Every structure is written in structure tokens, then in C-alpha cells.
Amino acid sequence: MYLSRLKLDPLKHCTRHLRLSPYVLHQAVFRAFPDESDGGPGRVLYRVDTDRRGNTSLLVQSEKKPDWDKASMLQECFIEPAEWRPYAPRCRKGQDLYFRLRANPAVKKQAEGRKNGYRLGLLREEDQLKWFQRKAQEGGFTLLNCQIMPEGIVHGEEGRRDGKLRHYAVRFEGVLRVVDPNTFLVTIGNGIGPGKGFGFGLLSVAPLRQV
């Protein structure tokens, strides 16, 4: 895998436009990867982060090597050249790690006349935590502590025939413990929850700082 960190200028119109439109951001990111005629982009996960100083960055985890020179829509927003590196995370059973995840907690419902049903966003914090705890159990880890920060409903109507692209965005941050290293590494590669093509699902981890 590869991990890219793209520093964006939060004051530029293009940055604000990308943040407000998940579909446009999706298009901008995927221009850096092969299209279907060249084998497809593979799994691409990404997330926009803003720190306490207001610095904005786009974190991208990809199965294939990116070519950010092709991402002209993003280049207009760059503060400095794109940085990327090979990414092969390692972990061990019982290891504690900081984590950050922007996810779309939802449950699938069946509806008459709809073959594949629909997803219902979970709005209560207790339901969001239970959802994440289930994903953790399935994903080879457990939560030691978790801060939940709702970001509200993300709308985007471009590219949809029914004009109904809606995700309920929630950030989870805290400390996790690895239970099953092999399953956990698969989880990192695949991401968590729905909406992965629109800035959700990237689980980023880091070692705990030694005091």
C-alpha cells in the first residue's frame, strides 16, 4: 500500500469547494490512480483533517501507487508538493495504538420495492459507539477509550440520478488494542463502514507516545 499526505490551503476557494462536495473530492482524488481501462484504482481510502491551528491536509491510503501530477483539481489547492511513501503497517497482539476514523455509522434496512434496501444513519452517540464496537470485534481489535465527534449530514448530489447522496459523518478518536493482528491489518487495508468512496472508512493508527 501507499500513504499520501497532501497539505491544502484552507483559504483557497478550491479547498472549500472540495470539502463541501464529496463527489467532487472523490473525482479529484481518483484522478491520481489508473482508470478501469488500465486495471482500475484498487482500494483508495481518504480523509480530510484539520488540526487546532487550522492546517488542512488530505490523507490518502491506496492499494496502488499514486501519481499526484495527474490530479490537477487537487494541485490548485496544494501548499507544498504532495508527499507519499510505501505503507506496510505492522502490529502485534496486545499492542495499544492511537486511532482516528471518520466513518458513516449506519445499519441496513429492507424496504418494499427496493432490492438492496437502504442504509439508515445512526444519530445517537450510544448507537454510534455500539456500531463501532461491533466493527472493532469483527476487525480484530477492541476499544480502550473512544471520543465521538459528530460532524452532521454530508450532502452531495452530483453524479446521482436520484440526487440523494447523504452520509452522516462521525469522527472517532482514541486508543485501541490489537486482538488479532492478521484480521486487524486486513481491516486497515479495507477500511470500516459504508461510504468509503466519499471520504469515510480510513482507519489511521500511530504508536502511543512514551512518557
Side-chain angles (χ1 to χ4, degrees), residues 27-87:
Q27 287 186 314
V29 169
F30 274 73
R31 286 187 180 181
F33 300 95
D35 57 27
E36 295 301 329
S37 62
D38 292 324
R43 172 69 72 188
V44 179
L45 302 170
Y46 58 92
R47 183 182 68 238
V48 177
D49 287 331
T50 301
D51 64 21
R52 294 177 181 178
R53 297 181 178 180
N55 299 316
T56 301
S57 60
L58 175 63
L59 187 66
V60 183
Q61 176 185 298
S62 59
E63 182 180 346
K64 297 185 178 181
K65 182 179 176 180
D67 183 355
W68 296 112
D69 289 338
K70 294 181 179 179
S72 56
M73 295 172 64
L74 282 174
Q75 285 185 345
E76 298 176 12
C77 308
F78 288 172
I79 292 178
E80 56 188 57
E83 297 178 355
W84 62 267
R85 60 179 173 84
Y87 181 50

Side-chain angles (χ1 to χ4, degrees), residues 111-152:
E112 186 177 353
R114 299 181 66 169
K115 180 178 179 180
N116 297 321
Y118 65 98
R119 293 189 183 277
L120 180 66
L122 300 175
L123 305 184
R124 298 193 307 171
E125 184 174 307
E126 60 185 285
D127 293 331
Q128 295 163 0
L129 180 58
K130 289 179 181 178
W131 174 89
F132 192 24
Q133 288 171 333
R134 289 195 300 271
K135 294 296 183 181
Q137 185 176 18
E138 297 168 1
F141 65 99
T142 188
L143 301 175
L144 298 185
N145 63 65
C146 180
Q147 184 179 4
I148 300 175
M149 295 160 282
E151 296 185 343

Side-chain angles (χ1 to χ4, degrees), residues 9 17 32 40 80 90 96 120 123 135 150 175 178 186 195:
D9 186 343
H17 182 50
E80 56 188 57
R90 297 179 181 180
D96 297 342
L120 180 66
L123 305 184
K135 294 296 183 181
V175 178
V178 179
V186 171

Side-chain angles (χ1 to χ4, degrees), residues 83-103:
E83 297 178 355
W84 62 267
R85 60 179 173 84
Y87 181 50
R90 297 179 181 180
C91 63
R92 64 182 186 277
K93 185 175 181 178
Q95 184 178 11
D96 297 342
L97 299 166
Y98 287 118
F99 74 85
R100 178 176 293 172
L101 169 72
R102 183 176 188 254

Side-chain angles (χ1 to χ4, degrees), residues 18-19 21-27 30 44-48 102 104 154-160 165-167 169 194-201:
L18 289 173
R19 298 199 65 175
S21 175
Y23 185 75
V24 173
L25 180 57
H26 168 91
Q27 287 186 314
F30 274 73
V44 179
L45 302 170
Y46 58 92
R47 183 182 68 238
V48 177
R102 183 176 188 254
N104 173 215
V154 177
H155 297 271
E157 298 182 356
E158 303 93 331
R160 290 290 297 256
L165 174 61
R166 298 187 182 93
H167 296 104
K196 296 183 181 71
F198 295 96
F200 297 93

